[in-house]
Each structure stands twice: as C-alpha cells, then as structure tokens.
Amino acid sequence: GNGGLSYDESKAHFSLWCVVKSPLLLGMDLDTISPEIHAIITNTNLIRINQDPIARQATCFHGCSVFADWSILTTTITGGATVAVVVNWCDEVLSNIPPLVGQALGVVPSQSQHVQVVDLWTNNVVGVFDFETLKNITVPTMVAHSCVVYQFNTMEKSLHLHLDLDLDLHETKTITTT
C-alpha cells in the first residue's frame, strides 16, 4: 500500500500476513489507496483466517529454504478446512509447479466424501475432488512473486451443497453431486 510492490506482490504479502497470523497493521493513508489495494486489504476470506481463534499459524509444507523457487504453507481453520498458500518467490513466471496432492496436505476424505477446493482470492471453485482425483490439483502458471490461496472443504457426497462462495456478497450457489 505504501508503494514499491506490484499488485501480485501485494496480494502475496497480505496472504502470508494473514495465514501466519501476523497483526494486520497498516501504515498508509487509507484515503489515498488504490481500489486494487483496498480490495486486497479488505479480503474477508483471508481476514477470517487471520482472526480465526482456532486456526494456528501456517507452517511451511514445501520449499522451506531461502533457496526455494516456490513454497506451500498450510493451516487448518475452524470447521476443519485446510488452507494452502502457494507462493512463487522467483523473479520470473513459474509454470512447472507440480500438482498439489490433497492427502499430502492433510486433506483425506472418506469414500462417502468429496473435497471442494475454493480460490480465496476469486471465490471460484477450482474443482470438486474425490479421494483419487484429490491427488492431482493443478497449480496455475504463476507470475513473479505471486500466490494462490486454496481452501479445501471436505463434504458428504450425498448432500445438495448450499455453498456461500462469495463471503462479501453472501451469494448462495447450489451444487448437486452424484
């Protein structure tokens, strides 16, 4: 917000602050920030993780050295959902990040469950996965110093799901599973 960071760097910075449970302090004039920065610092999905009294500080799962090109940090939030942040530390685009494996991140659905993966920046459902397909969650091509933040929600397959995907607008969407 004070300059010096690109839009993607600002999103990554705020995402990391939120999942590592840092105090969310701003040292900028809120009357002069851009709409893009305002949208970043008011992302309710990430603020809820930061303020969740049950969630622990995210820990590094992959790429935990200063020499890593990319990293994954994970935490579990109230209700049992797992949140994963994938960060591109490189000064270049990364298109070769291997697929995420939900089970390795601690997301292990039973045979009667599936896992819905939601992008917490866009509120878009990335996909609905069963035990087998949860082993191959594609990470998109990532520009320099960017991130993606995914929430893994485990749900019963037999239910009609009424999902509050857009927490800001409270827009309810229904997904029917088979």
Side-chain angles (χ1 to χ4, degrees), residues 72-86:
I72 303 172
L73 289 86
T74 62
T75 189
T76 303
I77 60 174
T78 296
T82 296
V83 174
V85 181
V86 182

Side-chain angles (χ1 to χ4, degrees), residues 98-142:
L100 298 178
V101 177
Q103 293 87 338
L105 300 174
V107 182
V108 184
S110 69
Q111 292 296 342
S112 67
Q113 295 176 319
H114 64 249
V115 176
Q116 175 200 55
V117 179
V118 178
D119 182 319
L120 295 184
W121 277 107
T122 65
N123 286 324
N124 291 331
V125 175
V126 174
V128 178
F129 303 89
D130 62 20
F131 186 84
E132 287 303 315
T133 58
L134 191 60
K135 297 176 182 176
N136 190 25
I137 301 168
T138 302
V139 177
T141 296
M142 298 176 65

Side-chain angles (χ1 to χ4, degrees), residues 1-2 25-33 37 41:
N2 285 329
L25 304 172
L26 302 172
M28 65 184 91
D29 182 352
L30 296 177
D31 292 329
T32 62
I33 63 172
I37 296 299
I41 65 174

Side-chain angles (χ1 to χ4, degrees), residues 7 11 39 42-49 116-128 148-151 153 163-175:
Y7 172 72
K11 281 177 54 177
T42 59
N43 180 308
T44 57
N45 295 332
L46 292 170
I47 293 170
R48 285 184 180 144
I49 295 165
Q116 175 200 55
V117 179
V118 178
D119 182 319
L120 295 184
W121 277 107
T122 65
N123 286 324
N124 291 331
V125 175
V126 174
V128 178
V148 293
V149 184
Y150 291 154
Q151 181 170 318
N153 303 305
L163 305 172
D164 186 12
L165 297 177
D166 188 342
L167 300 175
D168 295 324
L169 301 176
H170 300 289
E171 176 184 331
T172 302
K173 299 183 181 184
T174 303
I175 297 176

